[in-house]
Amino acid sequence: MTPLEFAAGLIAYCGWSRASVTSYGRSQERNETVGGVKYSKHCLWLAADVVYDPHPRPRLADARRRATQLGMRVIREDSHDHLQSL
């Protein structure tokens, strides 16, 4: 998946789930500052963090199904969902 394909999938996912993006592409320095993993897909523009506020999060099974259709996977974290390319 290219960064542009990921961006298109991210837009579609956010439209479906009414999510807002809180973190997307990052420099390596920014990734280190926020505690991201060493080889984060954020640094390749292939990952994003989203929140659903004020809307409730979709059920995890539904979020994963939609993300998979778009070539992405969802990792549910405490305060947000992390989306990344497959």
Side-chain angles (χ1 to χ4, degrees), residues 33-56:
T33 298
V34 300
V37 298
K38 186 172 184 177
Y39 297 105
S40 173
K41 288 192 174 189
H42 282 280
C43 297
L44 302 173
W45 293 85
L46 295 174
D49 297 329
V50 300
V51 295
Y52 305 94
D53 186 51
H55 311 287

Side-chain angles (χ1 to χ4, degrees), residues 13 22-23 26 29 38 42-43 50 52-53 56 72 81-82:
Y13 180 88
T22 59
S23 182
R26 300 177 185 157
E29 294 80 10
K38 186 172 184 177
H42 282 280
C43 297
V50 300
Y52 305 94
D53 186 51
M72 300 184 293
D81 283 352
H82 171 85

Side-chain angles (χ1 to χ4, degrees), residues 6-40:
F6 181 80
L10 181 60
I11 290 167
Y13 180 88
C14 289
W16 168 79
S17 64
R18 300 183 70 185
S20 296
V21 176
T22 59
S23 182
Y24 188 19
R26 300 177 185 157
S27 67
Q28 194 63 43
E29 294 80 10
R30 176 69 180 157
N31 191 59
E32 291 172 13
T33 298
V34 300
V37 298
K38 186 172 184 177
Y39 297 105
S40 173

